[in-house]
Amino acid sequence: MDSGCRKENVAVDKRVREAGLRPTRQRIALADLLFAKGDRHLSAEELHEEAVAAGVPVSLATVYNALHQFTQAGLLRILAVEGSKTYFDTNTSDHHHFYVEGENRIFDIASGPVGVSNLPEPPEGMEIANVDIVVRLRPKRRD
Amino acid sequence: MDSGCRKENVAVDKRVREAGLRPTRQRIALADLLFAKGDRHLSAEELHEEAVAAGVPVSLATVYNALHQFTQAGLLRILAVEGSKTYFDTNTSDHHHFYVEGENRIFDIASGPVGVSNLPEPPEGMEIANVDIVVRLRPKRRD
DNA sequence: CTGTGTGCAAACTCTTTGCATAAGT
DNA sequence: ACTTATGCAAAGAGTTTGCACACAG
């Protein structure tokens, strides 16, 4: 069951290559899972499971390696959320998230006109790399 | 060398008691370190070191317990930052942070008129618990 | 062929847990 | 006295590392 994957693989191959990484079978498979399906947030373990489920028996260590390499290459961002696991975001532009307390669930905020007003000046010698907004959600208690 | 600590201890004792916790020596000492010095962000290990340095030989496990109990009681917040350590914030109101990449350093943003415009509506059955803004800083490269 | 990437398992870090002892009311 | 908290050390989760083998150029 490969139908429809060829084209992505080619594009992804290029993307990986341009990041200065060898387009190995594993990296391409991972990049394909990451980037072919729109914006996603996932942990190393989740990506690993997906890869295995997709018939690419990559090791967890390799998943970690790839995620960090992609991050360094600017293809991914690390999400700032509480909790023990590290989440990676395939959308590297300024955009924002809902975070569901107690469930470690993360949504993208439909990237409308949400914005920050009166951004403060960064301290001397520093510049703003990006701005993350996390809107923390609680289940609404019905009354 | 106890000078000046009495008063805080009394206030802190009350605070701990009102959180529904027994004001034990350790909890009071930790609460005192946390709340007597203005807004702070620190990890369990940092607080533990401070406590030991302050002559209160509390165990790390107790520090973790106390931090979580205080958090549940609404006296602390858990900070959403990347990295393996959990940071706790003594300021539980909506306010925002600078985060220095690669150093795991966190500043409060001088809480001026920074604000979010066009906050999105939360999904069905959810309500907004709070909003965190993290401004990620990179060292400015001099050219 | 040469060098980089992968896989495995062990090591490491941060955090949590269980149980005997100590402290608070 | 009775109950709850503390401390220790061991367990647990997530992540990283080292080294032999495999694959890409």
Side-chain angles (χ1 to χ4, degrees):
Chain A
M1 235 181 268
D2 277 357
S3 52
C5 292
R6 266 320 125 59
K7 247 184 318 191
E8 273 94 319
N9 279 342
V10 173
V12 157
D13 178 295
K14 194 181 163 202
R15 201 160 184 178
V16 169
R17 186 170 264 123
E18 281 171 359
L21 299 167
R22 278 197 191 170
T24 63
R25 198 169 283 112
Q26 291 86 339
R27 293 211 266 236
I28 291 183
L30 295 174
D32 193 41
L33 287 169
L34 286 167
F35 302 116
K37 300 183 184 177
D39 294 345
R40 322 190 58 194
H41 337 94
L42 58 183
S43 66
E45 222 173 315
E46 285 165 6
L47 180 57
H48 180 239
E49 280 174 26
E50 274 195 25
V52 171
V56 187
V58 66
S59 81
L60 188 54
T62 297
V63 173
Y64 276 105
N65 286 339
L67 285 170
H68 286 135
Q69 290 153 353
F70 292 167
T71 300
Q72 265 196 308
L75 273 49
L76 294 176
R77 280 193 106 313
I78 293 179
L79 275 183
V81 289
E82 64 181 73
S84 45
K85 289 183 197 162
T86 302
Y87 281 84
F88 295 82
D89 192 332
T90 60
N91 182 348
T92 58
S93 59
D94 272 25
H95 72 290
H96 313 302
H97 299 100
F98 285 123
Y99 171 78
V100 182
E101 293 197 329
E103 293 184 50
N104 255 41
R105 268 205 305 156
I106 303 161
F107 299 116
D108 267 8
I109 292 177
S111 192
V114 190
V116 191
S117 50
N118 284 305
L119 251 194
E121 297 220 0
E124 269 295 308
M126 294 277 153
E127 61 185 352
I128 293 178
N130 79 309
V131 179
D132 275 331
I133 300 180
V134 177
V135 177
R136 191 177 308 212
L137 299 176
R138 262 190 115 83
K140 194 194 290 177
R141 21 152 247 207
R142 1 164 289 150
D143 38 6
Chain B
M1 236 178 268
D2 278 359
S3 51
C5 293
R6 265 323 125 57
K7 246 185 314 192
E8 274 95 319
N9 279 341
V10 173
V12 158
D13 178 296
K14 193 181 164 200
R15 200 160 185 178
V16 170
R17 185 169 265 124
E18 281 171 359
L21 299 167
R22 278 196 190 169
T24 63
R25 199 168 282 111
Q26 291 86 337
R27 292 211 265 236
I28 292 182
L30 294 174
D32 193 41
L33 288 168
L34 286 167
F35 302 117
K37 299 183 182 180
D39 294 346
R40 322 189 59 192
H41 336 95
L42 59 183
S43 68
E45 221 174 316
E46 285 166 5
L47 180 57
H48 180 239
E49 279 175 26
E50 275 196 22
V52 171
V56 186
V58 65
S59 81
L60 187 54
T62 297
V63 173
Y64 276 105
N65 285 339
L67 285 171
H68 286 134
Q69 290 153 352
F70 292 167
T71 300
Q72 265 197 307
L75 273 51
L76 294 176
R77 280 193 106 313
I78 293 178
L79 275 182
V81 288
E82 66 182 70
S84 45
K85 289 182 198 164
T86 302
Y87 280 83
F88 295 82
D89 191 332
T90 61
N91 182 348
T92 59
S93 60
D94 272 24
H95 72 291
H96 313 303
H97 300 100
F98 285 122
Y99 171 77
V100 182
E101 292 196 331
E103 294 184 49
N104 255 41
R105 267 204 307 154
I106 302 160
F107 299 115
D108 267 8
I109 291 178
S111 193
V114 189
V116 191
S117 51
N118 283 305
L119 250 194
E121 297 219 1
E124 269 296 310
M126 294 278 155
E127 61 185 350
I128 293 178
N130 78 308
V131 179
D132 275 330
I133 300 179
V134 177
V135 177
R136 194 179 305 213
L137 300 176
R138 261 191 116 81
K140 194 193 292 176
R141 22 153 245 209
R142 357 164 295 150
D143 39 8

